[in-house]
Amino acid sequence: MPPDGAFTAPLLLLLSSVSALTVPPPTNVTVSCRNLRVWVSWEFSDQQPHTSFRVEIQSSNGYFKNETTEHQYDLSGFIWKSLDHYMGFHSVRVTALQRGGESQPVRSESFTFSMNRMADKHYALEFPPVEVVAGDSGNTVSFPSPFHFYTELKQAEKQETAFFEFNVSSDQGNYTSVCRLTDVTCRYDLPHSEEQCVRVKGWLDYGNSVERVEFRETDRICPSKSSDPHVMTFALVLLFVLVVIISVLTISICKVRAWTLEIWKTQKTLKALDIEPNNEEHELLRPVEEVFSPVMVIEHSSSSSLSSEDGGLQDCGACVMEDGGSERGEPEEEAADQEAVGNYDRAHAPAAVRVDLGDGEVAYAYREG
């Protein structure tokens, strides 16, 4: 071996050791579980901008590795990927990576969902929602099958022999039953009892009594009264009638509001244009008032004449208006000596004479005597 080669291996080993020593390892590496969600978390004291962590899952059924800059990592995708994964046991190693170096890996406790596997921690799933209904012949316990209730279990590969075993316990005793893989709802009828509250727990079994996943026992569940079919039918009919009435009232109110709004808009438009509604109709129905100017006619001589209907204007001896003014300029004394005779005080022909009062004004009069 060349002399320089003898120093190369120890030098690389020394550099690797120095690099590992300069990057502190993570602390408090812990795996946590909340029903189907599984994650690992840790703490790190020397956080820097370019610090990352390598997460390795060592399992009885596989190996998985990934990197993250967070201080936790979700393991659910790996655990529930297949039946072999969630029936196996697992542990996690976390290594800090910084400035081209890495720390010593830190291992978590081992864990599993299988009841019969050896591990530091055994996790169980939450029991699906349970309903207890009191009937005439006894109480009925029912709940959705875990194979269909949990999406993760539904997506994973299952064996045809798989089943769900559950136990119903009450003050009167314990009862065990089985729900098959194809059953959507699991059900059990209890013996008749006035008030029979129960607790339920179960196990997911894949047919060999070895690979079993535990479901935690529920709290105490008491029965609820079953609904009378006739009461339900009456309630549905009443609800339907109520909906119809509300719909009709709503439509009627909307139509009335729309009609009122249209009238208001029309009146507002007419007011803006200074037009009274139905103004033309009022004008047509308004009576025409005739205006008559009172006139007195005094005959001065036989030669005096009035304008006839043919439109010819002849000499008028004295055509006097009510204010006493003379048409031809005759003295007012002479006109005053004459006896003023009203048109309606003597017999006369119908209004066939008109008098030109000047300035384009014309009045109707009657011939005297």
Side-chain angles (χ1 to χ4, degrees):
M1 177 182 293
D4 56 348
F7 296 98
T8 302
L11 181 60
L12 292 176
L13 182 61
L14 179 61
L15 291 176
S16 176
S17 301
V18 171
S19 174
L21 291 175
T22 56
V23 180
T27 58
N28 196 22
V29 178
T30 306
V31 175
S32 303
C33 176
R34 184 175 298 164
N35 204 19
L36 291 172
R37 183 172 178 260
V38 185
W39 71 96
V40 59
S41 60
W42 58 89
E43 298 176 0
F44 189 66
S45 59
D46 188 22
Q47 184 69 31
Q48 296 184 12
H50 300 288
T51 302
S52 61
F53 303 93
R54 182 170 59 240
V55 180
E56 300 172 90
I57 303 176
Q58 296 178 325
S59 171
S60 60
N61 298 102
Y63 174 81
F64 178 81
K65 181 176 68 173
N66 202 355
E67 290 187 11
T68 180
T69 57
E70 304 294 332
H71 287 185
Q72 65 178 11
Y73 189 82
D74 193 348
L75 307 174
S76 305
F78 175 83
I79 300 298
W80 301 106
K81 184 178 180 179
S82 67
L83 170 64
D84 292 336
H85 279 206
Y86 67 78
M87 284 298 182
F89 65 91
H90 319 278
S91 64
V92 182
R93 293 198 315 174
V94 181
T95 305
L97 307 175
Q98 195 176 84
R99 299 189 304 272
E102 61 182 49
S103 69
Q104 292 292 335
V106 179
R107 185 185 298 272
S108 71
E109 294 180 323
S110 61
F111 64 95
T112 183
F113 281 89
S114 176
M115 295 178 58
N116 299 321
R117 292 275 188 178
M118 296 297 296
D120 296 323
K121 292 182 177 180
H122 287 83
Y123 294 130
L125 298 178
E126 296 290 342
F127 205 95
V130 178
E131 183 180 17
V132 181
V133 178
D136 296 334
S137 59
N139 297 341
T140 300
V141 179
S142 63
F143 55 89
S145 171
F147 292 112
H148 300 274
F149 181 75
Y150 286 110
T151 305
E152 289 78 3
L153 296 178
K154 186 177 181 181
Q155 291 176 347
E157 254 181 69
K158 293 177 285 292
Q159 300 174 0
E160 294 294 332
T161 56
F163 62 90
F164 183 73
E165 180 182 357
F166 61 94
N167 176 269
V168 180
S169 60
S170 67
D171 296 337
Q172 284 73 28
N174 295 328
Y175 311 91
T176 302
S177 184
V178 170
C179 187
R180 295 297 175 183
L181 180 65
T182 55
D183 295 334
V184 178
T185 302
C186 302
R187 190 184 309 273
Y188 187 80
D189 295 326
L190 294 170
H192 179 71
S193 176
E194 291 296 330
E195 291 292 338
Q196 191 171 9
C197 300
V198 300
R199 299 176 186 270
V200 188
K201 62 181 178 179
W203 305 268
L204 193 65
D205 197 312
Y206 283 89
N208 54 13
S209 298
V210 175
E211 297 175 323
R212 293 164 66 92
V213 177
E214 183 181 6
F215 285 76
R216 281 189 283 268
E217 187 176 50
T218 66
D219 294 331
R220 187 177 175 87
I221 303 173
C222 296
S224 59
K225 298 294 182 181
S226 60
S227 301
D228 189 351
H230 299 289
V231 174
M232 291 296 296
T233 303
F234 176 75
L236 291 175
V237 172
L238 185 61
L239 179 62
F240 175 76
V241 172
L242 183 62
V243 170
V244 171
I245 293 175
I246 293 176
S247 301
V248 171
L249 289 177
T250 303
I251 294 174
S252 301
I253 292 173
C254 291
K255 286 187 176 181
V256 170
R257 291 189 63 182
W259 177 71
T260 306
L261 183 60
E262 184 177 357
I263 293 178
W264 179 79
K265 286 183 178 180
T266 303
Q267 293 178 348
K268 186 175 180 181
T269 304
L270 293 177
K271 185 175 180 180
L273 297 175
D274 198 15
I275 300 175
E276 293 293 334
N278 301 326
N279 188 41
E280 295 182 359
E281 182 179 352
H282 290 170
E283 291 293 336
L284 293 175
L285 297 178
R286 182 180 298 171
V288 178
E289 298 180 358
E290 296 184 1
V291 179
F292 295 93
S293 299
V295 176
M296 291 189 304
V297 179
I298 301 174
E299 186 174 335
H300 182 63
S301 64
S302 59
S303 61
S304 299
S305 64
L306 297 174
S307 174
S308 62
E309 288 184 357
D310 58 3
L313 183 60
Q314 298 179 6
D315 183 33
C316 181
C319 297
V320 182
M321 296 172 51
E322 189 178 16
D323 57 357
S326 176
E327 178 75 10
R328 297 283 304 276
E330 296 292 332
E332 293 183 4
E333 294 82 358
E334 183 179 356
D337 294 335
Q338 300 294 332
E339 181 182 357
V341 180
N343 291 342
Y344 296 95
D345 293 337
R346 63 179 69 218
H348 56 275
V353 179
R354 59 182 180 177
V355 180
D356 187 357
L357 302 179
D359 295 333
E361 295 186 7
V362 178
Y364 288 93
Y366 299 92
R367 187 184 299 274
E368 185 176 2

